[in-house]
Amino acid sequence: MTLSLPEKIVGPAAWTGAEMQERDDIWLYHLTPSDIDDIEQAAEHYLSLGRDIGEIRKEDFPLPVFGAHLAALKDRLINGHGFEVLRGLPVAQYTQEMAAAIFCGIGAHLGSARSQNAQGHILGHVRNIGADPNDPNARIYQTAARQTFHTDSADIVGLMCLRDAKEGGDSLLVSAETIYNRMRAARPDLLQLLFDPIATDRRGEVPEGMDPFMTIPPLNWHAGKLTVFYQRQYIDSAQRFPEAMRLTPAHVEALDMFDALANDPSLHLKMRLDPGDMQFVYNHAQLHDRTGFTDWPEPSNRRHLFRLWLSPTGDRALPEVFAQRYGSLEIGNRGGIITANTRLHAPLD
């Protein structure tokens, strides 16, 4: 069936990397000394309670100074250009517990934390553990290989850089709306195919009673908004399942065009996250990626980032098909990876 799609999507989320490279004043925020004092006091208060970091709620992490910025940031993520980097946190001075409390506390002002794997980890650790990127059950973020542009299973994705790599590991962002606009203008026939129920591999993390793959279309038009769900490596590996929808040559051409546009240096934004940087990205309107990297030989110096998946209140509605991944579609209480034995917690290492 041919969908009725807009000729062009116009709005702050339809940005190009070239534009954003010249406008870091709207997405790079330098924390003030007052901001940092406020954040540190909130973290010290929470840690004094002796509770699990994974239980932090907004009301447990009072930010009388910095809280107004986070309220505005939440709106910019959902309704604006969709990402921001907070810079200047002296993370090298903190214990890992203090850094985790700060990150989870700030995240609690943006949304509820969600499980990131079958083990129920609310606080994820992004680092190379030597996993094989060609293993169909491996998670790509646990390797040093180049990722591909993709989305995660959450409304908002947050990263905190604890230590950066010796070389590489740069963060890349691209607007799904801009890719849509380019494909709509040049190849509307291929664009339509990205709204088909193309299979995406679950990579071994299969909720009880579910198929080992999902059939959420890469692009979804729902309630007047474009929502993206995409991981090309997992789309390709899902073809190992005979019951998955077969990709036709036209589908492959459409996916290849999507990838080519995402990788266009004029369309995506490339940034280096410094230690202490916190990046928050609205997952439904853009895709993220990471370049391959070379790590430091000493284990204590190796690249390490915390990750949060968040579900904010006041967000957009998602189409019913997202229940295959998100479970509940309740705004503010959706997303993450939930299996039968999931127990939510925040491991520090």
Side-chain angles (χ1 to χ4, degrees), residues 32-44 61-68:
T32 68
S34 295
D35 292 334
I36 295 170
D37 286 345
D38 198 35
I39 292 166
E40 290 177 346
Q41 288 178 25
E44 290 166 356
F61 203 85
L63 293 171
V65 175
F66 190 56

Side-chain angles (χ1 to χ4, degrees), residues 196-202 211-216 234-248 251 324:
D196 286 348
I198 293 171
T200 297
D201 198 342
R202 290 187 186 271
D211 290 327
F213 58 88
M214 297 163 283
T215 54
I216 303 173
Y234 295 3
I235 288 173
D236 289 342
S237 68
Q239 292 295 293
R240 66 192 169 119
F241 301 110
E243 63 272 33
M245 187 193 91
R246 296 299 91 187
L247 295 176
T248 67
H251 282 111
Q324 292 181 48

